Structure formats: C-alpha cells, structure tokens
Amino acid sequence: MSQETTGIITQIIGSVVDVKFPPKKLPKILNHLKVQLENADGTLKNKWLHLEVMDEIGDYRVRCLALGSTDGLRRGMPVLDTGGPIKVPVGKEVLGRLFNVMGEPIDRLGDIPTDKKYNIHRAPPKLEHQIPTSKVFPTGIKVIDLLAPYALGGKTGLFGGAGVGKTVLIQELIRNIATEHEGYSVFVGAGERTREGNELWLDMKRSGVLAKTALVFGQMDEPPGVRFRISLTGITMAEYFRDEEHMDVLIFIDNIFRFVLAGSEVSALLGRMPSAVGYQPTLATEVGKLQERITSTLAGAITAVEAIYVPADDITDPAVATTFSHLDSTCVLSRQIVEQGIYPAVDPLSSTSRLLDPRFIGDEHYETALRIQEILQRYNDLQDIIAILGVEELSEDDKAIVARARRIQKFLSQPMFVAEQFTGRKGKYLTISETVAGFRELAEGNLDHIPEQAFYMTGNIDDVLENAQKIASSNANLPQNNNKEKPDKNNNDKFKTKIYAQ
Amino acid sequence: MSQVKQLKKRIKVIKNIGHITKAMKTLASSRIKKVEKALKIGALYEEKMSEVMSRLLPAVPPEDSPFIKKEGEPVRSALIILTSDTGFCGSFNQNIIRAAVNFIQEKEPHNVSVFALGKKVISYLRRHEIPVEMAIPQWKPDIETARTIIARCTQLMEQNKIQQAVVVYSRPHAHLAAFTDILFPFSLQEEEEKPHQGDFIIEPNPRESFNFLLPLFLNARLLRMFLEARNGEIENRLRSMTNASDNADKLTEALTMKYFKARQDGITQELMEIVGGSEAVK
C-alpha cells in the first residue's frame, strides 16, 4: 500500500495505545503503525515510536502495543499506518551486527546495506515440509550429552530458577557449539541483563564467532512490547538462512520466559481476562506460534537452545509447562544441586530428551544413562531414611549405591570454559564416547575405591584417576611414619578399601 | 498443587517411619531393665570365679596348661565377634565389625578362626568371603551358647590350631567403642594383682583344681561378655531410636510447615484468580 492512512491517538494506557482511523481505512491486525515523537516545544523529532495493532475495539478504533516507551505521547497525535507488519532485514548482511526489535542496528556501525526484509509474523512451516530429528548434537558437556542429548535441528530448553546458571550454561554452549559450528548462529537476548549482552558481543568479537552470528537484543530495560516481539525478530533472521540459503542455523534465546512475561504484562492492558496464575488466556497460542516456527524443514535445520526462567522454582508454572511440551530435550537446572556446589547444576532426574532412545544413541549409551538414573533415583528415595536413621542402618547394597550415587553426582560437575576466570579451572570438552565410557565405569562400580573428591570438577576418567593419585600422595605424606613397619602396605590397603568401600 | 500432594505423601511416609522407631524405642527401654539385671548377676559370678582362679594361677606352672600365657606372641587366634541380629541400633554393629576386621588384617586372615555371632557379622563376612569357623545367627546370651563356643575353642587349642581367643564386643555405657579383649590365655601379671592372702589348702591339688575349674570359669567369663554385649546393643538401640524419632519429628514438623505454605499459596492463588476474573467480567 503506497498511500499511508493516518489516524489519531485516542487513549494511552502504559504500553497500550488506542488509535482512531477514518471509516473503512482501519489497519489490519498486526500491522505496523508509527508515530513521530515531539520535542517539548511541539516541534517534531526525528524519532518514531512503533506500534503494532493487536485488536479492533469498535468505533473505528484499534488497540495497539507500543514497541518502545510511550513517554511523551499525547492524545490527538497523528499515527501513520505503514500498511503491513513489522519487517526486519535478513540475509548475510545481518551477520556480525547487533539489532533491536525493529531490525535497526544498534552497534553504531551504520545502516544495513540490504533491501531484503522479512515480515516478523510468518507462518510456521507446513507439516509436510518438516523433518523429524534423530541425530545427536554433541555439546561437550557430560551431563547433557549423557542424560539429555541435544538433537540436531531440535529444540532444547534450559529450565532454571533465578541464579542457577542458565546464562552461564547457554554461554558455554555457544562457546562449545557455535565456535565449532560451520553454519550461522543467531543470538536473541530477551529481557535479560544488558550487561550480559554487551559481554557476549565483546567475547564473540574476540573469538571471531561474531562474523557468522547475528545478535538481537531486547533486554530488561525495554518496555514489554519489545520483549514480546524480540524473539520473533531473531527467529525471522534464522528462518531466512534456513529457507533461502538452505543452511543449518543455530539459535540461542535467553530468555524465552520473558516473552511470556511480557505478554502477560500487556494482556490485562489489552483487556483480556487473566487466566491460571495470572497469565494471559492466550498463553498456549502465543507460545505455540513462536515455538512452531523453530523447526527443521527439508530446506535446512534450526537448532534452538532456549533458556527458560522458572518462577519460584516451580516447574509446574503454566508458562514453563506450556513451553515444556514443545521441546525435544529438556535440561532442568536445580537449586538443590547448586547448593551442593555442582556446576552445571543440571538435575539428572528431571532432565530428559526425546533422543534418549537406543535407536538414536545406541544401546551402550542408553543403558549407561538408564543405569545412572536408576542409581541416582535410588539414592533420592533413600534420602529420607538417611535423614532419620543415618547411613548406618542401610543394607550393604544400599550403602554401595549411596556411595556410587555420591560419586556420580560429583562426576556430573564439569569445569566450564566461560567460567574459567571465576573458578580458576580450565574448561573441559568431552566427546560423547568419553562421557559414556566414564559413566559406565562408575555405574559398574569399578571406581568405588576412588575417593569422592577426586570426581569433583573433572573432565574424563583420566582426570579422575590423576586427581585420585594426587589425593593419595598428599595423604600418604602425613601418616607415613606409622606405617613403616608394614612392608605389604599396598596389599593391606587393597583389602581395606574392599571392605570399607561403603 | 502437585507439590502439595507430594509433600502430603512424604509427610505420611516419614510419620510411618517415626512410628516404627518409636515402637523400637519403647521396646528397647522395656528390655534394658531385664538385661541389666542379668548382667549384674552374671558379673558377680564371674568376679568370684576370677578371684578363685587368680589364687590358683600362681600355683600352677605355666607349662602345665595351654591356657596360661607363655613367652612370645601367640600366632593363631580364635576371634569371637558379638553383633546383633537386627539393625536399628546405630553404628553398633559397624564399630564391632570394623574392630574385628582390623584385627583380622593385623593377624593375617589365615591365622584367625572366626566365631561369628549375630546375623549382621555373618552376612558381612559372607559378603566379603572371609571364612568362618562357627556361625551362630540369632544367638542368645546364655550359658549354652558360651559352652558350645568354649568347647570348640578348647578343641582347637588342643589341636594347637589356636593359641589365644579374643572377643570383640561392646560394653554398656561405652558410647561408640568396640572392645577387643583376650579371653585366654591368662597372663600371670594380670591376675597377680592380689598377692597371696594367707595360705589356702587346695584340694586335691592346684593343677587338678585349675583344670576342673577352667571350663567353668571360661564359660562364666564369656557369658559375662555376652551379657555386656547384649546390654550395649540394647542401650545403643535405645539411643539411636530416640535420635531417629526426634529426627522424624523434626522432619515432619518442617515438612508440615512447607505443606501448609504450599497449600496456602494455592488458596491465595485461586482467590486472586477468582477476584481477577470477576473484575474482568464486570
């Protein structure tokens, strides 16, 4: 539509703006409207506020969501209808750049030299174009590769309450997979810390990944409309690479929950009745529309890693539960595990993956994962008994399981590359076969004689053995004098450990 | 809501465990009087026996009886381990088993003939494939049991398969300790503390008397250890069951609080939704 129609603002409630248009010239739902802002003296600024039509409320009025601050807006201001939805630039030109929700560069490196623009509200791919995922996507992180393997071209969720390490884990994943990844990546910062966005940008620049990455930010300082639509902007950019360039794309979204939250913030203002736990009644629709677009098609694959904040550590929260059902693999970060000092704090019992099936990962991996979960589950079941009666009352078998489970828990920790400057430990990357081999040894009880601490923050089994030797030699230095008379100390030790393994 | 349900279930489980531990506690406290009395009597008898033996001992030349301590370390030993048949008594069995295993390691396993009393130690030894000379599950602290063991020990002694017998057990009022006492041979120094008090006429002669009294004395001594062990076990059980009951109560209290909070959360949430909903409909 070349001729732009003009309406006027009739009501402003926070982020929601009502605009009246001439009869028969109403903009369509999801159309992009814009308002030119004014200076204090009434002259026009060279700055526009963008609105998106959400509802028609009768009397030739439309209700719009502001994609920016509504400060300085007043009734009677003219509003332009652009005649279509919001469009963002796509293509190779977006790589290495930083965008806001409107697809405008925010890195002060000039305009994007492209005419290729995509509508951010696109239909999800048709079922007949979608392809199921069955290939494991190695991450180099033990607990994930073993218990919740990621799918190439699948969706993965990192669930976690406040401060359990979601962002650190997502950054570690970026480091581990985006760096090794051949294709392009898109990072969406939705409603998270602005500082983290900045750090990520600088980090990516340093490591050289930036050249094949597009970054989109609508952080926590932005109004709800921005946080609501920012994920769509990122997904649209990724979709282009999939559909037009036929490439495998990675998309990282931190944090998809902010999308729901922003929707909930504006829902009541839009006049919708709140539903369960105060969320918008359209929760499932909104989440579905977004998630369904992140799929692999015959043209190419989108592999998504989404961080999902879990309010009050309650995994049954409607926003979280709705997202759950869309994912191929779920990685639940738990506060309990953070309290034990184990990072990444992935809960081995709640995390799972569609790929955890012998058809996809092979019998050995599958059986090992199952065995590990069994041991940990048993340990969990015994917790109450231990709390009441003490470990001493357990049967010999259970004691062995408790000891093994404790070693497994320690072994699930892993030093991370991105946390190197905080922990002072060098990050570790493990291949899946290394991971599986290590855990199988543990599950079979071949490592019961190695002290628990030796497993903490290690990479593969060789690291553990090395650690164990270090611990043994530092212990041996102390009581050596007492043991001088015993020539067969080694034999004795073996006997001892055999008996005291519990 | 699922959390409320889970908490409810967990509270129920813990309460049930608490019921069990409380019952065990009551049982232990009623039994402790009985065993204390038995120990008192047994100890008195053993003390008197010991007195008589200590008078006889100096009169018997050490070469005459294998039960008198000779020069040098005994090589082979009988190890009598007294544990309980049932659990629920804290680290009682663990400590005894640990002490026993230490002893076996020190003497080398092949030099030790093990007499295992109580299911706990029997199953432990079986699991770790340590050979057992005699196993008595569900043993009673009575003279019959003592006689059986002493008879077998004496037999081994005569075949020179052992030179000493050691008992690993616990005593009352010894919180976590396990005792390793030598049952025989007797050492002169130990029994000589009381010097001769006047002249005794020993009929028919010291040696015969010694040999006659010896099995009686050993039985009495072992019986006393039995009674002490049983006493210690029940005491331990009482203590650990008291602790367990307290723990269960504390855990129940904490979980109940959590349960109330979760339930109230749910109620508040629903109220808010009803209020919000009705506001929105207006």
Side-chain angles (χ1 to χ4, degrees):
Chain A
M1 216 188 283
S2 58
Q3 205 181 351
E4 287 174 340
T5 42
T6 313
I8 49 167
I9 295 178
T10 58
Q11 182 178 259
I12 304 154
I13 320 169
S15 276
V16 173
V17 180
D18 290 356
V19 188
K20 186 162 182 162
F21 278 89
K24 295 189 182 168
K25 294 253 172 112
L26 273 179
K28 289 179 188 145
I29 301 279
L30 297 181
N31 261 14
H32 173 199
L33 314 183
K34 48 187 187 178
V35 191
Q36 195 162 18
L37 295 173
E38 292 172 350
N39 286 319
D41 55 6
T43 54
L44 290 177
K45 265 189 203 170
N46 188 22
K47 204 175 156 196
W48 295 79
L49 172 69
H50 304 277
L51 306 172
E52 197 183 78
V53 180
M54 300 300 289
D55 256 331
E56 291 195 12
I57 51 175
D59 202 14
Y60 308 114
R61 284 177 303 156
V62 286
R63 188 153 281 174
C64 309
L65 185 59
L67 299 178
S69 167
T70 53
D71 293 357
L73 228 54
R74 64 174 167 77
R75 276 181 0 146
M77 275 172 121
V79 180
L80 283 182
D81 175 16
T82 60
I86 295 167
K87 292 192 171 73
V88 295
V90 290
K92 285 202 173 129
E93 289 78 7
V94 303
L95 296 170
R97 301 297 300 268
L98 226 68
F99 298 94
N100 66 9
V101 67
M102 300 302 302
E104 296 159 351
I106 48 173
D107 50 7
R108 297 184 191 158
L109 294 175
D111 289 338
I112 308 296
T114 180
D115 289 333
K116 264 182 275 170
K117 284 200 166 185
Y118 265 21
N119 168 4
I120 65 165
H121 298 282
R122 292 157 56 82
K126 283 187 188 140
L127 182 62
E128 62 199 86
H129 295 149
Q130 291 182 16
I131 47 162
T133 53
S134 59
K135 225 176 129 195
V136 177
F137 192 59
T139 62
I141 295 171
K142 276 187 282 192
V143 57
I144 293 174
D145 283 346
L146 181 74
L147 298 169
Y150 287 3
L152 186 68
K155 276 174 277 189
T156 300
L158 299 173
F159 295 86
V164 293
K166 288 183 300 297
T167 299
V168 175
L169 188 54
I170 213 169
Q171 281 172 1
E172 177 79 359
L173 286 170
I174 291 172
R175 193 238 150 248
N176 279 5
I177 57 186
T179 330
E180 326 264 308
H181 184 67
E182 301 285 302
Y184 299 145
S185 321
V186 176
F187 181 90
V188 182
E192 285 295 301
R193 295 175 193 92
T194 318
R195 168 183 64 79
E196 284 164 1
N198 190 38
E199 277 167 15
L200 186 71
W201 184 54
L202 293 173
D203 269 356
M204 283 188 155
K205 240 195 218 169
R206 207 174 304 130
S207 63
V209 199
L210 191 64
K212 43 180 189 174
T213 311
L215 298 146
V216 183
F217 286 105
Q219 295 298 43
M220 46 172 56
D221 57 330
E222 309 254 17
V226 174
R227 285 177 276 130
F228 193 45
R229 292 300 181 215
I230 189 71
S231 308
L232 299 182
T233 306
I235 291 167
T236 308
M237 289 179 180
E239 274 174 336
Y240 173 84
F241 293 123
R242 177 191 67 191
D243 297 343
E244 304 296 327
E245 311 262 335
H246 302 294
M247 294 180 71
D248 289 348
V249 199
L250 290 176
I251 181 163
F252 299 92
I253 304 176
D254 186 12
N255 186 304
I256 201 87
F257 173 80
R258 310 291 177 200
F259 159 77
V260 179
L261 191 71
S264 150
E265 276 176 45
V266 295
S267 165
L269 296 178
L270 290 168
R272 293 179 189 146
M273 192 197 298
S275 174
V277 201
Y279 283 110
Q280 57 271 44
T282 49
L283 176 71
T285 320
E286 281 170 12
V287 172
K289 261 190 191 159
L290 177 87
Q291 298 285 359
E292 277 296 292
R293 285 174 62 186
I294 314 173
T295 8
S296 297
T297 66
L298 296 167
I302 295 185
T303 308
V305 180
E306 305 167 10
I308 298 148
Y309 169 75
V310 180
D313 286 326
D314 179 14
I315 210 96
T316 61
D317 185 90
V320 178
T322 314
T323 313
F324 239 115
S325 49
H326 287 281
L327 302 170
D328 293 301
S329 99
T330 53
C331 211
V332 180
L333 304 178
S334 134
R335 184 162 314 275
Q336 238 184 328
I337 294 169
V338 173
E339 279 160 4
Q340 291 169 10
I342 289 167
Y343 290 96
V346 176
D347 184 343
L349 295 175
S350 330
S351 305
T352 186
S353 165
R354 204 171 50 78
L355 288 194
L356 202 63
D357 185 313
R359 279 180 302 159
F360 302 134
I361 53 174
D363 287 335
E364 193 192 346
H365 186 167
Y366 179 70
E367 271 155 30
T368 307
L370 227 58
R371 183 85 192 99
I372 293 286
Q373 281 180 330
E374 226 170 76
I375 293 174
L376 292 172
Q377 183 62 52
R378 181 82 191 132
Y379 179 46
N380 230 11
D381 293 344
L382 292 171
Q383 288 287 3
D384 276 342
I385 296 179
I386 295 171
I388 298 170
L389 295 167
V391 188
E392 309 277 354
E393 293 294 351
L394 298 178
S395 72
E396 298 280 327
D397 284 337
D398 283 344
K399 265 186 237 168
I401 283 185
V402 168
R404 217 167 286 167
R406 291 183 62 91
R407 285 177 175 79
I408 290 170
Q409 279 185 337
K410 294 263 152 59
F411 194 48
L412 286 174
S413 67
Q414 188 172 345
M416 296 205 248
F417 290 97
V418 289
E420 209 172 296
Q421 64 223 58
F422 306 116
T423 58
R425 284 188 177 93
K426 266 214 137 38
K428 293 268 155 75
Y429 183 100
L430 272 86
T431 61
I432 293 184
S433 58
E434 267 181 309
T435 301
V436 172
F439 279 101
R440 209 182 54 171
E441 289 277 296
L442 246 173
E444 281 172 358
N446 297 342
L447 302 169
D448 284 355
H449 58 284
I450 290 175
E452 265 176 44
Q453 314 112 272
F455 291 90
Y456 185 58
M457 284 292 176
T458 47
N460 53 19
I461 285 297
D462 295 337
D463 291 347
V464 174
L465 296 176
E466 198 181 297
N467 255 355
Q469 229 151 37
K470 254 186 239 161
I471 292 168
S473 64
S474 68
N475 280 350
N477 285 340
L478 301 171
Q480 205 131 58
N481 294 338
N482 307 339
N483 293 333
K484 257 182 187 161
E485 303 104 51
K486 284 188 189 166
D488 55 347
K489 188 174 174 288
N490 265 339
N491 265 339
N492 252 336
D493 269 355
K494 233 182 223 164
F495 188 56
K496 232 177 209 166
T497 46
K498 202 179 158 198
I499 288 177
Y500 291 135
Q502 303 83 33
Chain B
M1 272 297 121
S2 72
Q3 210 202 347
V4 175
K5 221 168 166 185
Q6 260 175 3
L7 279 171
K8 211 170 177 179
K9 200 170 144 197
R10 226 176 124 204
I11 290 170
K12 207 171 150 195
V13 169
I14 290 166
K15 268 193 179 155
N16 281 342
I17 298 179
H19 284 318
I20 297 170
T21 58
K22 255 174 223 136
M24 298 291 284
K25 180 183 152 190
T26 323
L27 210 67
S29 56
S30 71
R31 276 183 70 193
I32 201 153
K33 286 266 153 53
K34 210 173 120 193
V35 290
E36 264 172 4
K37 200 174 154 200
L39 173 62
K40 220 173 185 178
I41 298 168
L44 196 68
Y45 178 63
E46 192 260 0
E47 252 165 53
K48 288 289 160 201
M49 277 302 266
S50 162
E51 234 176 84
V52 174
M53 289 304 273
S54 68
R55 288 207 175 112
L56 283 173
L57 203 55
V60 185
E63 307 80 49
D64 278 11
S65 171
F67 291 95
I68 301 174
K69 193 168 169 34
K70 315 280 189 314
E71 293 282 305
E73 269 292 302
V75 183
R76 292 184 173 170
S77 332
L79 181 68
I80 303 163
I81 309 166
L82 307 182
T83 60
S84 70
D85 291 313
T86 50
F88 287 122
C89 45
S91 52
F92 172 81
N93 290 315
Q94 250 70 39
N95 289 328
I96 293 171
I97 291 172
R98 194 165 299 154
V101 168
N102 278 344
F103 182 86
I104 295 173
Q105 276 173 44
E106 215 170 285
K107 300 278 174 193
E108 303 283 309
H110 59 88
N111 281 335
V112 182
S113 309
V114 178
F115 290 73
L117 280 81
K119 278 183 188 163
K120 289 286 160 182
V121 69
I122 295 171
S123 68
Y124 181 91
L125 295 174
R126 192 169 299 149
R127 171 180 295 268
H128 293 96
E129 290 169 358
I130 298 172
V132 174
E133 177 74 34
M134 186 188 268
I136 310 178
Q138 289 176 308
W139 61 287
K140 285 199 188 82
D142 58 13
I143 195 76
E144 285 309 313
T145 322
R147 262 186 209 138
T148 330
I149 292 172
I150 293 298
R152 183 85 186 112
C153 277
T154 316
Q155 211 179 346
L156 288 174
M157 195 83 162
E158 276 156 7
Q159 294 164 354
N160 203 22
K161 280 191 180 147
I162 57 169
Q163 284 88 38
Q164 67 167 353
V166 174
V167 186
V168 183
Y169 67 118
S170 84
R171 283 184 194 152
H173 315 304
H175 190 175
L176 291 169
F179 291 87
T180 310
D181 277 358
I182 295 172
L183 182 62
F184 60 74
F186 324 116
S187 83
L188 257 174
Q189 285 91 352
E190 201 183 298
E191 311 286 341
E192 223 182 16
E193 275 168 14
K194 281 187 213 155
H196 283 278
Q197 294 168 334
D199 272 338
F200 279 88
I201 300 165
I202 300 164
E203 283 290 345
N205 58 52
R207 207 175 123 191
E208 254 175 67
S209 305
F210 181 83
N211 284 338
F212 176 76
L213 284 175
L214 184 74
L216 295 181
F217 172 61
L218 289 179
N219 288 344
R221 199 166 190 191
L222 191 58
L223 180 63
R224 182 195 171 147
M225 288 168 174
F226 280 179
L227 290 167
E228 277 181 332
R230 196 37 69 91
N231 224 320
E233 175 198 330
I234 290 172
E235 211 174 65
N236 260 299
R237 175 161 298 139
L238 184 63
R239 190 185 304 118
S240 66
M241 283 304 103
T242 312
N243 286 341
S245 303
D246 289 352
N247 286 344
D249 284 347
K250 265 184 223 154
L251 211 57
T252 315
E253 204 176 306
L255 284 176
T256 310
M257 196 53 130
K258 221 169 148 188
Y259 165 69
F260 285 154
K261 274 184 184 162
R263 195 185 58 175
Q264 191 56 48
D265 260 9
I267 294 169
T268 313
Q269 186 65 58
E270 272 171 35
L271 272 177
M272 297 269 286
E273 274 163 30
I274 293 167
V275 172
S278 72
E279 278 299 313
V281 173
K282 266 180 199 167

